Structure formats: C-alpha cells, structure tokens
Amino acid sequence: MRLGTRTWHGTRQSIREAKNRVREIDGLLQSLYEDKVAGEVTADLFKRMSKKYGDEQSRLITDAGHLEKELDECRRVQRDLTAWINRIKECLTIDSRTRAIVVELIDRIEVSEIYSVDGEKNLDISIRYKFKCQE
C-alpha cells in the first residue's frame, strides 16, 4: 500500500486526468490519421507522432491501472481496519458472555486427555484467543 503521502482525492484526480488524456490522445490520433490520408502530414511525421502518442497513451493506461489498484487496496485496508476497530469497541462494552461473543473472541479450546495425579483425575484446558496480547 504505497498511497501514503498522496491524498485519496489527489489519487482519484490523477486517475481522472489520465483517463481524460487517453481519450484526448484517441482524438489526436484520429485527427493525425485523417491529416495523413488528406496528404497534409508526411508518412514520416505520421509515424513519429503516432508512436509518441501511442507511447504516452500506453504509459497513462498503465499508470492509471496502478493507481486504481492502490486505491482499491487502500479502500480494502480501511474497511478491514474499520471493522476491526468496531469489533474492539464491542468487546470493550461487553456486559455479559454470550455464545456470539465467545465465538468472536476465542479461536479454539484445547482439552487434554485425562491423567491421574496422586489418585485424582485431572485434565488441562487451553484457550486460544483470536488476538495476541504483547507483554
């Protein structure tokens, strides 16, 4: 996720500008072709200009695609983070344990085989939470 210093609005604006320029280049290429057919532009000039416009158009399409992927990834991360924050807020206001809360917080419960110590039957229970606490 490289978006970092660039704003969401600025990124969307860059994508819009790139797409507009791609459409503009389409029109320029069309005009250039018509000028060549009409004999107003030499074949050499047509080749050079169409290559220049084609290269610019390819670069713009690639850049806009990368920016759209970045923006989509940032949106996904923001949704995930918002959902995680909402879950944490819910956990902070727990009044009573319910099955739904236990399912939300606990990954699994491990119960050992029964073993005997000094004639008493024992077993170990280990609870694995879905989050890790750092000490």
Side-chain angles (χ1 to χ4, degrees), residues 30-42 46:
Q30 179 67 32
S31 294
L32 184 62
Y33 177 76
E34 290 170 0
D35 289 347
K36 181 191 178 293
V37 170
E40 297 172 12
V41 173
T42 65
F46 174 78

Side-chain angles (χ1 to χ4, degrees), residues 22 24 27 35-36 46 52 72 89 93-94 96 116 128:
V22 165
E24 182 182 346
D35 289 347
K36 181 191 178 293
F46 174 78
K52 177 186 158 216
D72 288 345
K89 284 180 181 177
T93 59
I94 294 174
S96 62
S116 197
R128 305 288 179 182

